[in-house]
Amino acid sequence: QQQVKQSPQSLIVQKGGISIINCAYENTAFDYFPWYQQFPGKGPALLIAIRPDVSEKKEGRFTISFNKSAKQFSLHIMDSQPGDSATYFCAASNSNSGYALNFGKGTSLLVTP
Amino acid sequence: NAGVTQTPKFQVLKTGQSMTLQCAQDMNHEYMSWYRQDPGMGLRLIHYSVGAGITDQGEVPNGYNVSRSTTEDFPLRLLSAAPSQTSVYFCASSYRGPVFGNTIYFGEGSWLTVV
């Protein structure tokens, strides 16, 4: 059963717009929440990650918002660019399991010029 | 620094054949894992290891076998290939311990087709 639920499945955003991808989880033992970016034919690459003791983390144009009580977290891509077109995966893990990741199903993002 | 290296990149197998996907990392990572990626399913954990000699099952372990005799290598064995195992396989590794920022590095993937 999917431990991390991700939405939307696909997203089209105009250049300069904000892309928002949402994820929800049930397991309160999760203590690490990364986002991965994957280009066709490549492996996933870490984009940004957060722990549950902070509500927001920003790195450049990428921001994670985390709501511990709602067990939800989201990725915001500000000023989206065509080069951001990729598949994005949220994930969650429990440090006691050796950082094995539980992934969402992914969001295919297309940023149009 | 090679990072996580997977071989082969592409493989076609006949149903019932066995094979091993190789994974090696040169970062002295304790944790290694194997995922499979299928369209619309995201990445699903097959097996993982928290150190040499220690392995455990993930979400979809059936039909796969692993061992971890060294820190560097974590091979994935398909015992008797089935068409349902047609997928892209990713190996990943990370440092030991519950330290935040414990980045998990993925290999480039192995495309496997079972006919």
Side-chain angles (χ1 to χ4, degrees), chain A residues 1-2 9 32 36 38 41-46 49-51 57 89 95 97-106, chain B residues 9 31 35 37 40-45 48 50 59 90 94 97-109 111:
Chain A
Q1 108 200 28
Q2 199 84 21
Q9 186 175 359
Y32 178 63
Y36 280 80
Q38 185 180 30
K42 298 294 184 181
L46 180 67
I50 198 168
R51 290 185 78 186
K57 182 175 181 179
F89 294 96
S95 57
S97 71
Y99 277 80
L101 290 167
N102 297 277
F103 281 88
K105 292 188 177 182
Chain B
K9 182 83 171 178
Y31 295 110
Y35 294 84
Q37 184 175 29
M41 296 296 294
L43 289 95
R44 292 180 293 169
L45 179 65
Y48 66 96
V50 299
E59 182 183 356
F90 289 99
S94 65
V99 176
F100 179 61
N102 196 343
T103 301
I104 296 177
Y105 297 87
F106 282 85
E108 293 274 288
W111 273 253

Side-chain angles (χ1 to χ4, degrees), chain A:
Chain A
Q1 108 200 28
Q2 199 84 21
Q3 296 201 51
V4 179
K5 296 183 179 179
Q6 183 173 347
S7 62
Q9 186 175 359
S10 62
L11 183 60
I12 300 175
V13 174
Q14 282 193 331
K15 178 181 177 181
I18 302 173
S19 303
I20 302 174
I21 305 170
N22 301 299
C23 286
Y25 64 98
E26 288 298 324
N27 187 346
T28 55
F30 287 149
D31 58 7
Y32 178 63
F33 301 88
W35 284 88
Y36 280 80
Q37 180 187 58
Q38 185 180 30
F39 293 104
K42 298 294 184 181
L46 180 67
L47 192 61
I48 186 172
I50 198 168
R51 290 185 78 186
D53 54 353
V54 298
S55 60
E56 185 175 282
K57 182 175 181 179
K58 184 177 180 179
E59 290 185 2
R61 296 185 294 109
F62 301 92
T63 300
I64 299 179
S65 297
F66 188 85
N67 186 330
K68 187 174 181 179
S69 61
K71 292 183 285 187
Q72 295 176 347
F73 59 110
S74 60
L75 176 69
H76 295 236
I77 306 174
M78 311 300 289
D79 187 25
S80 299
Q81 299 297 313
D84 297 331
S85 297
T87 300
Y88 293 81
F89 294 96
C90 62
S93 70
N94 175 354
S95 57
N96 290 328
S97 71
Y99 277 80
L101 290 167
N102 297 277
F103 281 88
K105 292 188 177 182
T107 296
S108 178
L109 171 65
L110 175 64
V111 181
T112 59

Side-chain angles (χ1 to χ4, degrees), chain B residues 72-91:
Chain B
E72 294 78 19
D73 301 298
F74 191 44
L76 178 72
R77 298 181 184 85
L78 280 71
L79 308 174
S80 178
S84 61
Q85 293 179 303
T86 294
S87 187
V88 184
Y89 292 84
F90 289 99
C91 179

